[in-house]
Amino acid sequence: MVNETNKSWTGNIHLGSKVNIDVVLKQLCKAFNSSPYFQHNGMTMRVVEGQIEGYIEMQPYMIGNVAFQILHGGVAATLLDSIGGIVAMGELYKRAPAEQLADTIKKVSRLATVDMRVDYLAPGRGQHFIARAETLRLGRKGCTMRMTMINDENKAIATAIASYAY
């Protein structure tokens, strides 16, 4: 059963009707952005050209390598994991037929990271960082996502592949 809280953060989806994916993506971002953890770290999810991306500005407390003023790898991993999960949620809604919305809502509410591998490609230098994700596989019980984080010079800083279960 879907309660009002679930409906509000998924764009007030009405079972049996086609979803407005633009509204759903914005509502997913709103839900993530209201997270105390995201707010504490200044991380935001936003919809850009119909796709969700993660955004974070460099802050002094995010420095992992003090000598070189480089972003902590845990910050990068967190943003990569988060963008992978939220984009997976959006993909579930995009691909869900109206008659399967109840099952889709359950999947989205249960989505959790099972495994993630991060490759750090370059030192985390920049004024801000953007993370994007793409779906490699979307199955009945889980999915695999590829994520990339770039800096303000469009240089790839880190990439990841993760599996999510739902």
Side-chain angles (χ1 to χ4, degrees):
M1 172 144 184
V2 179
N3 64 33
E4 289 304 310
T5 303
N6 288 345
K7 288 174 71 174
S8 68
W9 77 268
T10 55
N12 291 311
I13 292 172
H14 300 287
L15 297 181
S17 63
K18 184 162 175 51
V19 299
N20 180 334
I21 197 62
D22 294 327
V23 171
V24 170
L25 295 180
K26 287 177 186 171
Q27 290 297 101
L28 287 170
C29 289
K30 183 178 176 183
F32 269 69
N33 294 341
S34 69
S35 157
Y37 183 77
F38 269 46
Q39 290 176 355
H40 175 75
N41 288 300
M43 296 179 183
T44 57
M45 295 292 170
R46 59 192 189 185
V47 179
V48 177
E49 297 177 6
Q51 300 292 322
I52 298 176
E53 67 178 27
Y55 177 85
I56 189 166
E57 291 187 11
M58 180 63 135
Q59 300 295 328
Y61 62 85
M62 295 177 182
I63 293 170
N65 184 319
V66 180
F68 294 102
Q69 301 293 298
I70 296 170
L71 183 72
H72 190 284
V75 176
T78 299
L79 191 59
L80 290 167
D81 183 29
S82 299
I83 194 64
I86 194 171
V87 169
M89 291 175 182
E91 285 300 311
L92 285 167
Y93 282 116
K94 284 179 186 177
R95 299 180 188 195
E99 64 274 5
Q100 292 181 3
L101 276 179
D103 288 338
T104 301
I105 291 169
K106 286 180 189 175
K107 286 179 180 180
V108 167
S109 68
R110 292 190 307 240
L111 190 135
T113 309
V114 175
D115 184 56
M116 185 171 83
R117 173 188 160 73
V118 179
D119 290 308
Y120 298 98
L121 307 173
R125 293 188 180 103
Q127 298 299 309
H128 69 264
F129 304 92
I130 295 172
R132 296 183 182 101
E134 65 177 311
T135 306
L136 298 178
R137 180 183 179 281
L138 193 69
R140 287 185 304 113
K141 296 184 179 185
C143 63
T144 304
M145 307 295 289
R146 179 183 300 137
M147 299 81 72
T148 303
M149 188 176 86
I150 60 172
N151 67 6
D152 53 342
E153 296 177 352
N154 207 30
K155 182 176 183 179
I157 300 300
T159 188
I161 292 183
S163 298
Y164 299 88
Y166 34 78

